[in-house]
Amino acid sequence: MIFTKICEMLKIEYPIFQGGMAQISDFGLAAAVSEAGGLGIIASGNNPPEAVRDQIHKIRELTDKVFGVNVMLLSPYAKEVSRMLADERVPVIVTGAGNPGKYIKIWKEAGIKVIPIAPSVAFARHFEKAGVDAVICEGTEAGGHVGELTTMCLIPQVVDSVNIPVIAAGGIGDGRGIAAAFCLGASGVQVGTRFLLAKECKVHQNYKEMIKKAGDTDTAVTGRKTGHPVRVLKNKLVSQFKELEKNNASIEEMEALGRGKLYMAAVEGNVDYGSVMSGQIAGLVNKEQPCREIICEMFEEAEKIMKNLSLVAGGKNE
Ligand code: TUI
């Protein structure tokens, strides 16, 4: 049993968050993860507040366990969704793709645990001062909107700089990744890519098949020039992005190319021209399993490794 500060704080059994993946992480996936003892997270993505509220009501019908909602701060509805979440008094809010500073006060007043994604030591410190409960530090190995630093470098530096729990994200797909995150000082992990293959995940089957087939070098980052770098599996859309970059296309042209492409892949199943967001760990994500099995398997493996992890004489890793 791996029980950490974040388990105690959030009343969860396993210190694992399911990544709030835009267009993908709905109430069904989040409920399955929370029921299995992790923290299920509904992604609000670019959705208007009423659509997100509907998801919250649906998860409450399925589970009494703690769940989270992810606010994607680049969304045109970020402000309205943030107010609605305070109103609904959701148990946990995770934020991504920006600075949630102006919302922290209303969320804390509503008794909500607030856990932003921090891309650097400076942001982690800043968020801690603003009163958040923990931070998620996501390395550039992650899928979707990414920062610059790797998980391996980001986690220990943030752990040394703040006094709140740090959750590691980016590149974690099995028990080895979990054990490594604990070695770096993390109090928990957030996993996205592996949950794409969860039985309860409703992403299009074509998307799942592409994740299953992916190898270690099959992701690329598009849109670095636009200021919105996004890690995806390589396909025809990535070639189109490269072509635009080669021709010194304007930022507007590149942003136009990316628009609506996640929906195209995740909902419509067009994995040639859609945006198939995925982490670099996709190469070891190969089997479809229920959420409960994913979580149990990952933590059994992590526990075994941590028990045997000893470089002193007699240890199995000698
Ligand atoms: O947010 C994510 N991953 C995402 S969001 C998303 S939807 C989207 N689609 C198209 C374009 C852009 C987004 C798909 N994947 N991960 C969390 C994350 N947050 N990664 C990096 C950050 C981050 C970056 C800057 C957090 C805070 C931050 O603050 C600094 C600032 O300058 O605001």
Side-chain angles (χ1 to χ4, degrees):
M1 193 73 193
I2 298 175
F3 194 81
T4 69
K5 283 183 283 187
I6 202 74
C7 296
E8 204 176 310
M9 179 192 288
L10 303 182
K11 314 281 179 247
I12 54 178
E13 282 169 64
Y14 294 96
I16 184 168
F17 295 10
Q18 155 257 314
M21 300 173 280
Q23 306 278 5
I24 296 172
S25 301
D26 65 358
F27 71 96
L29 177 62
V33 170
S34 289
E35 276 292 301
L39 183 74
I41 298 178
I42 292 168
S44 54
N46 282 322
N47 294 328
E50 286 321 306
V52 185
R53 196 195 290 273
D54 182 55
Q55 293 274 317
I56 293 166
H57 292 174
K58 284 181 169 146
I59 197 172
R60 284 185 163 140
E61 277 169 27
L62 289 182
T63 184
D64 293 329
K65 300 263 172 80
V66 175
F67 65 92
V69 178
N70 178 295
V71 180
M72 210 279 280
L73 291 159
L74 290 172
S75 164
Y77 296 107
K79 192 172 169 186
E80 288 95 324
V81 167
S82 297
R83 287 211 188 110
M84 180 275 294
L85 294 177
D87 221 44
E88 286 285 336
R89 296 180 185 272
V90 294
V92 181
I93 292 178
V94 168
T95 67
N99 186 341
K102 57 183 175 217
Y103 308 119
I104 292 173
K105 190 166 172 271
I106 57 160
W107 290 337
K108 290 311 302 170
E109 280 170 5
I112 297 169
K113 296 277 186 258
V114 178
I115 310 183
I117 295 193
S120 65
V121 166
F123 274 106
R125 278 200 179 129
H126 179 76
F127 295 155
E128 181 183 36
K129 275 200 197 115
V132 306
D133 299 278
V135 284
I136 301 172
C137 290
E138 186 182 276
T140 194
E141 299 93 321
H145 185 77
V146 288
E148 290 282 332
L149 292 167
T150 59
T151 304
M152 185 87 151
C153 295
L154 182 57
I155 302 302
Q157 296 187 73
V158 173
V159 165
D160 283 352
S161 309
V162 297
N163 291 308
I164 48 179
V166 177
I167 310 302
I172 301 168
D174 64 12
R176 291 170 294 183
I178 294 178
F182 287 132
C183 287
L184 297 174
S187 299
V189 295
Q190 176 168 282
V191 170
T193 304
R194 182 141 178 198
F195 282 113
L196 289 170
L197 293 196
K199 292 260 193 253
E200 299 89 344
C201 177
K202 291 206 177 65
V203 72
H204 198 283
Q205 192 60 32
N206 294 352
Y207 202 122
K208 294 194 182 197
E209 296 304 325
M210 202 164 167
I211 296 286
K212 277 191 215 167
K213 284 196 206 114
D216 57 345
T217 58
D218 287 340
T219 71
V221 175
T222 60
R224 281 208 193 274
K225 269 194 186 163
T226 66
H228 297 143
V230 175
R231 185 176 300 285
V232 293
L233 288 181
K234 290 176 193 167
N235 63 1
K236 295 199 171 85
L237 175 67
V238 173
S239 308
Q240 290 177 326
F241 264 107
K242 279 196 183 144
E243 197 58 29
L244 284 186
E245 273 173 29
K246 205 171 77 191
N247 297 332
N248 279 322
S250 66
I251 289 178
E252 290 73 35
E253 267 180 281
M254 290 201 228
E255 296 223 305
L257 179 61
R259 214 159 287 139
K261 293 297 169 27
L262 178 58
Y263 183 86
M264 198 189 245
V267 181
E268 298 176 338
N270 185 344
V271 293
D272 290 326
Y273 289 97
S275 181
V276 187
M277 296 187 186
S278 164
Q280 288 182 324
I281 206 66
L284 63 70
V285 176
N286 303 313
K287 50 180 184 190
E288 294 187 39
Q289 295 169 290
C291 288
R292 190 177 293 279
E293 206 175 296
I294 293 175
I295 293 172
C296 289
E297 194 176 291
M298 287 180 82
F299 278 91
E300 268 170 32
E301 191 189 359
E303 276 186 41
K304 224 182 258 170
I305 291 167
M306 287 161 76
K307 275 187 191 137
N308 292 333
L309 190 67
S310 168
L311 297 176
V312 296
K316 285 195 181 161
N317 289 334
E318 201 179 355

